[in-house]
């Protein structure tokens, strides 16, 4: 039965105050994506750039709603630019590693 | 002068022609048709296509000055055109000299020889070829990305449907028990939003409040990450379930002091390691609940036997037995502070804050392949939660139990203080030393000698006072001891 006392307000769960409990996947993937983008751009490796695109997609899929969209977008744009630059510099198709 | 130029030009042309290949050359008519125009002989060669006669291939290489000639074995006697003279413009045909061509292999192959072919076929770079097939790796990559996006949309929608199916099933029960159902903390007034909070594409929250006994109840629907293709693939190797986590925060006066947990053995072992309160107060290994009629899959962790006795009443046993497959863990604790915090040695100066809490973790049936209909099967579990809230309020330890519980809590606090005592002492010591050092530095930096002397004297006086205080204290202790 509903009680006579006033209802308590919502408080965000403890994970927001304790960063150790949060899922680290989106942050790792973000960082990895940036690292691969830079590798792809500097070393002109096409496969690095493609992996960077995948990383930024995975980071987006795992992200929390409170996460900054600017960060997501910047990582995504960086990876896309890495892919585009690799192909502009060297239009040859990617060769498989085998 | 003019004639000289003409002569040089005439020399140059047949030399350049000698670089080309010819199919055949007949000697028979050569002498007759030789003109000043050196093209004549070659014209004849192209017009007379004699298929039966053996074909001779005349090839020249850029490097070599002498032409090589391949011959049919049969017609050695046939007059041959001596190519060695072509470069000089001499078009006389000489009789075939066997000795000249010794060492040359006779090849039946009449077609162009490719072994000494001066023309190499250059590999056209793949991107200049007009074929999409050479870009198959890129097409693969893009297809992968499209598959990921498709999975994201499908997974997100499925999680959304599951969440709303759960809420629609449970809404009535919740609204009859709680005054406030659904709150996101943003409104000024405490009004029910009647909606789930979406924290993520796979986590949904619901806050319910306004009931006797409890401060509030936070329900977290922790679905599987269906929106992430990597996770979907990983789950194919290792199946997992969606989970519903319910955390009821009790008011201080509504729950007595005890720590108790029941659940699957695996879950309890893990919780005992991870949770601060379970590790400190429940030192024994999880015990089997068979004594109370629980199935083998469930085990019990308890602070003391009395609590277990009190908790395991008929209705509770009924709930636990019937829905054992959906129950992962149930934890009642007055010392709940969450998982053990991994802190550095020097930082642990205060016990973490505790709250009286009831925690429930349920597994959604289907092991990942859930449909919205499965959510209905979770409704009885919510009834169990409500029952537990009331039970926790009603259950009180007797005198003995209370004493034991208080002793346990005192013991834990003492242990904690002992652990941190050394650290706290060190911290205080280091602070004092730093103060002294800072003062000394100030004195040294003072340029004015007068000021320096005065500061030194002040520091000396302070130290003397401290020593006196210490001596007084020692004297007092000695007196008390006596």
């Amino acid at each position: 039965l509903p009680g006579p006392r006033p209802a308590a307000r919502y408080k965000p769960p403890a994970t927001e105050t304790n960063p150790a409990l949060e899922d680290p996947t989106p942050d790792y993937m973000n960082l990895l994506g940036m690292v691969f983008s830079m590798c792809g751009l500097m070393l002109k490796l096409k496969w690095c750039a493609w992996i960077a695109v995948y990383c930024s997609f995975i980071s987006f899929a795992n992200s929390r709603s409170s996460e900054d969209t600017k960060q997501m977008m910047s990582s995504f744009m960086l990876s896309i630019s890495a892919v585009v630059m690799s192909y502009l510099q060297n239009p040859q198709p990617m060769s498989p590693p085998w | 002068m003019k004639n000289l130029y003409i002569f040089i030009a005439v020399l140059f042309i047949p030399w350049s022609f000698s670089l080309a290949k010819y199919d055949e050359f007949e000697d028979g008519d050569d002498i007759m048709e030789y003109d000043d125009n050196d093209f004549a002989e070659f014209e004849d060669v192209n017009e007379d296509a004699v298929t039966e006669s053996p074909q001779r291939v005349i090839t020249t290489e850029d490097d070599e000055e002498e032409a090589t000639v391949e011959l049919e074995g049969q017609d050695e006697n046939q007059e041959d055109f001596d190519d060695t003279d072509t470069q000089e413009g001499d078009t006389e045909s000489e009789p075939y000299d066997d000795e000249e061509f010794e060492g040359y292999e006779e090849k039946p192959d009449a077609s162009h020889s490719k072994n000494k072919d001066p023309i190499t076929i250059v590999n056209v770079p793949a991107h200049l070829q007009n074929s999409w097939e050479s870009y198959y790796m890129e097409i693969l990559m893009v297809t992968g990305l499209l598959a990921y996006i498709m999975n994201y949309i499908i997974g997100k929608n499925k999680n959304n449907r599951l969440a709303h199916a759960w809420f629609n099933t449970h809404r009535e029960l919740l609204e009859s028990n709680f005054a406030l159902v659904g709150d996101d903390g943003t409104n000024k007034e405490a009004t029910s939003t009647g909606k789930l909070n979406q924290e993520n594409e796979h986590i949904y929250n619901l806050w319910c409040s306004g009931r006797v006994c409890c401060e509030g109840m936070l329900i977290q629907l922790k679905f599987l990450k269906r929106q992430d293709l990597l996770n979907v693939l990983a789950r194919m190797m290792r199946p997992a379930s969606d989970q519903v986590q319910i955390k009821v925060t009790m008011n201080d006066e509504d729950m007595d002091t005890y720590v108790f947990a029941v659940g699957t053995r695996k879950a309890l072992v893990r919780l005992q390691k991870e949770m601060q309160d379970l590790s400190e107060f429940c030192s024994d290994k999880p015990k089997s609940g068979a004594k109370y009629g629980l199935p083998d899959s469930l085990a019990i962790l308890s602070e003391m036997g009395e609590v277990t006795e009190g908790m395991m009443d008929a209705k509770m046993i009924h709930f636990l037995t019937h829905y054992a497959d959906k129950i992962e863990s149930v934890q009642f604790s007055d010392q709940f502070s969450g998982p053990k915090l991994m802190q550095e040695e020097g930082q642990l100066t205060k016990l973490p804050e505790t709250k009286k809490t009831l925690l429930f973790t349920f597994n959604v049936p289907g092991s990942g392949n859930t449909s919205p209909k499965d959510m209905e099967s979770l409704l009885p579990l919510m009834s169990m939660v409500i029952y537990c809230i009331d039970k926790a309020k009603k259950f009180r330890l007797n005198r003995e139990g209370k004493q034991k519980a208080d002793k346990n809590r005192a013991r834990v606090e003492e242990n904690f203080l002992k652990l941190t005592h050394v650290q706290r002492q060190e911290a205080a010591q280091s602070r004092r030393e730093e103060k002294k050092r800072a003062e000394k530095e100030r004195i040294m930096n003072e340029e004015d000698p007068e000021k320096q002397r005065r500061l030194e004297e002040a520091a000396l006086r302070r130290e003397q006072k401290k020593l006196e205080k210490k001596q007084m204290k020692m004297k007092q202790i000695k007196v008390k001891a006596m």
Side-chain angles (χ1 to χ4, degrees):
Chain A
L1 298 165
R5 53 174 78 223
R9 295 307 306 277
Y10 171 71
K11 269 170 269 174
T15 51
E16 293 198 14
T17 52
N18 185 1
L21 286 174
E22 281 177 353
D23 178 23
T25 307
D27 301 320
Y28 278 153
M29 280 296 151
N30 221 353
L31 182 68
L32 212 58
M34 293 212 204
V35 166
F36 273 116
S37 306
M38 296 314 287
C39 279
L41 274 171
M42 303 293 179
L43 306 174
K44 300 184 187 166
L45 297 170
K46 294 199 178 76
W47 56 268
C48 274
W50 280 109
I51 292 177
V53 175
Y54 271 95
C55 283
S56 80
F57 266 86
I58 294 170
S59 172
F60 171 73
N62 283 296
S63 67
R64 302 170 276 276
S65 64
S66 57
E67 199 124 334
D68 204 3
T69 50
K70 275 183 279 181
Q71 176 115 6
M72 289 293 139
M73 288 306 290
S74 79
S75 146
F76 183 64
M77 289 297 158
L78 184 63
S79 57
I80 295 283
S81 72
V83 170
V84 168
M85 287 307 293
S86 306
Y87 280 93
L88 281 177
Q89 286 168 354
N90 182 10
Q92 277 197 5
M94 204 162 52
S95 57
W98 51 85
Chain B
M1 204 56 191
K2 231 182 179 181
N3 286 335
L4 182 62
Y5 280 116
I6 292 168
F7 182 62
I8 292 171
V10 160
L11 279 184
F12 185 70
I13 292 164
W15 177 73
S16 65
F17 259 79
S18 71
L19 299 175
K21 290 187 225 176
Y22 303 101
D23 276 342
E24 57 183 85
F25 182 73
E26 284 271 53
D27 281 333
D29 300 328
D30 285 349
I31 299 168
M32 304 283 277
E33 297 175 12
Y34 281 174
D35 295 337
D36 288 340
N37 180 6
D38 288 329
F39 288 103
E41 59 193 81
F42 302 107
E43 280 171 18
D44 271 352
V45 170
N46 290 337
E47 284 165 8
D48 296 337
V50 180
T51 53
E52 287 170 13
S53 66
Q55 293 177 338
R56 294 180 213 113
V57 174
I58 305 167
T59 63
T60 57
E61 295 200 17
D62 290 343
D63 309 337
E64 293 173 29
E65 291 198 349
E66 297 201 12
T68 57
V69 179
E70 291 181 70
L71 306 162
E72 283 284 0
Q74 298 140 353
D75 291 301
E76 292 171 14
N77 294 327
Q78 196 159 3
E79 289 183 10
D80 191 15
F81 179 66
D82 189 352
D83 282 345
T84 53
D85 293 339
T86 54
Q87 287 152 7
E88 297 144 26
D90 189 359
T91 56
E92 282 180 20
S93 67
E94 290 175 3
Y96 173 61
D97 193 351
D98 239 337
E99 292 165 355
E100 268 193 64
F101 296 98
E102 272 175 5
Y104 282 108
E105 294 275 272
E106 290 163 353
K107 289 180 189 169
D109 184 16
S111 59
H112 300 297
S113 155
K114 295 235 163 135
N115 291 348
K116 297 164 190 170
D117 189 353
I119 298 174
T120 54
I121 297 171
V122 178
N123 276 333
V124 179
H127 68 280
L128 295 175
Q129 298 171 10
N130 283 333
S131 95
W132 289 108
E133 289 166 359
S134 52
Y135 283 93
Y136 68 95
M137 283 295 285
E138 281 74 12
I139 292 172
L140 261 174
M141 286 291 190
V142 172
T143 315
L145 276 178
L146 284 175
Y148 193 90
I149 294 171
M150 289 291 294
N151 179 74
Y152 175 80
I153 294 171
I154 293 171
K156 186 170 90 135
N157 285 338
K158 173 134 196 217
N159 278 349
N160 209 0
R161 271 184 295 134
L162 286 174
H164 283 94
W166 181 92
F167 189 50
N168 290 333
T169 318
H170 289 71
R171 184 196 287 264
E172 214 180 296
L173 180 64
L174 290 172
E175 280 179 351
S176 65
N177 274 292
F178 292 91
L180 175 72
V181 174
D183 182 17
D184 54 7
T186 54
N187 297 340
K188 280 198 191 148
E189 292 173 8
T191 47
S192 287
T193 60
K195 276 192 292 185
L196 295 164
N197 287 350
Q198 186 173 358
E199 192 182 300
N200 234 333
E201 302 300 343
H202 63 283
I203 298 183
Y204 292 79
N205 292 340
L206 183 71
W207 173 255
C208 303
S209 187
R211 192 184 195 276
V212 290
C213 325
C214 64
E215 197 181 295
M217 174 168 84
L218 178 67
I219 303 173
Q220 275 195 316
L221 301 173
K222 290 194 170 166
F223 293 120
L224 302 165
K225 286 188 184 175
R226 290 187 177 85
Q227 78 275 12
D228 179 15
L229 188 60
L230 276 188
N231 206 288
V232 170
L233 295 172
R235 264 189 299 118
M236 288 186 186
M237 317 284 170
R238 200 166 41 123
S241 303
D242 301 305
Q243 281 191 339
V244 177
Q245 275 188 3
I246 301 173
K247 183 170 161 188
V248 182
T249 338
M250 302 292 282
N251 295 319
D252 280 337
E253 63 272 17
D254 287 326
M255 182 170 160
D256 210 346
T257 55
Y258 51 89
V259 176
F260 172 77
V262 64
T264 61
R265 196 170 286 271
K266 209 169 149 192
L268 286 185
V269 167
R270 184 176 43 90
L271 285 174
Q272 197 174 25
K273 266 191 259 173
E274 283 176 13
M275 290 294 175
Q276 179 89 5
D277 50 352
L278 286 177
S279 62
E280 281 177 353
F281 293 94
C282 303
S283 46
D284 299 331
K285 275 197 274 194
K287 286 189 218 148
S288 160
K291 193 166 83 168
Y292 303 95
L294 292 178
D296 286 333
S297 57
L298 295 178
I300 299 174
L301 260 183
S302 175
E303 190 182 348
M304 54 187 114
E306 193 201 326
V307 176
T308 320
E309 292 288 330
M311 281 292 139
M312 290 288 128
D313 61 356
K315 202 156 180 202
M316 190 70 144
I317 295 174
H318 169 85
F319 270 125
L320 290 171
T321 330
H322 267 80
Y323 307 108
D325 57 333
K326 299 187 189 71
I327 295 173
E328 167 108 350
S329 71
V330 173
Q331 184 180 351
F332 303 162
S333 169
D334 73 307
Q335 297 280 316
F336 180 75
S337 60
K340 283 192 202 175
L341 297 168
M342 294 297 160
Q343 278 183 347
E344 288 174 17
E345 291 266 338
Q347 290 179 12
L348 209 65
T349 50
K350 223 175 31 154
L351 265 175
E353 275 187 40
T354 61
K355 203 100 179 79
K356 296 195 176 178
T357 318
L358 310 178
L359 273 165
F360 302 84
T361 308
F362 300 130
N363 291 328
V364 177
S367 182
N369 296 327
T370 46
S371 71
K373 278 197 221 125
D374 293 326
M375 294 302 168
E376 290 169 6
S377 59
L378 294 174
L379 195 56
L381 290 169
M382 188 55 74
S383 314
M384 178 176 125
V385 170
I386 308 285
Y387 174 76
C388 287
I389 297 175
D390 292 329
K391 183 166 182 68
K393 175 169 164 84
K394 277 186 247 160
F395 178 73
R396 298 285 154 177
L397 295 164
N398 61 17
R399 207 162 53 102
E400 269 183 44
K402 192 85 178 99
Q403 276 180 356
K404 261 200 242 171
D406 289 339
K407 247 198 279 179
N408 281 340
R409 275 145 193 76
R411 173 182 47 90
V412 167
E413 208 180 317
E414 218 184 290
N415 285 343
F416 180 78
L417 282 174
K418 272 195 209 161
L419 256 175
T420 57
H421 178 70
V422 174
Q423 287 153 8
R424 270 183 288 135
Q425 255 196 342
E426 283 178 10
Q429 179 83 352
S430 60
R431 257 182 282 136
R432 260 179 272 143
E433 279 180 13
E434 275 217 39
K435 264 197 203 168
K436 274 194 191 166
R437 238 182 289 139
E439 268 218 52
K440 279 196 185 153
E441 268 196 53
R442 246 189 306 143
I443 293 171
M444 301 296 268
N445 291 340
E446 226 18 90
E447 302 235 339
D448 193 1
E450 275 280 332
K451 270 197 181 170
Q452 236 188 20
R453 234 187 309 130
R454 253 181 275 155
L455 282 168
E456 275 188 38
E457 281 174 19
L460 261 169
R461 254 180 276 145
R462 251 177 273 143
E463 278 200 48
Q464 273 183 353
K465 270 193 194 168
K466 274 191 191 165
L467 271 168
E468 279 179 29
K469 267 192 189 170
K470 264 193 182 172
Q471 281 172 3
M472 289 291 288
K473 270 192 184 170
M474 294 299 281
K475 277 189 192 167
Q476 280 180 359
I477 289 169
K478 277 188 187 165
V479 168
K480 274 191 183 171
M482 284 186 351

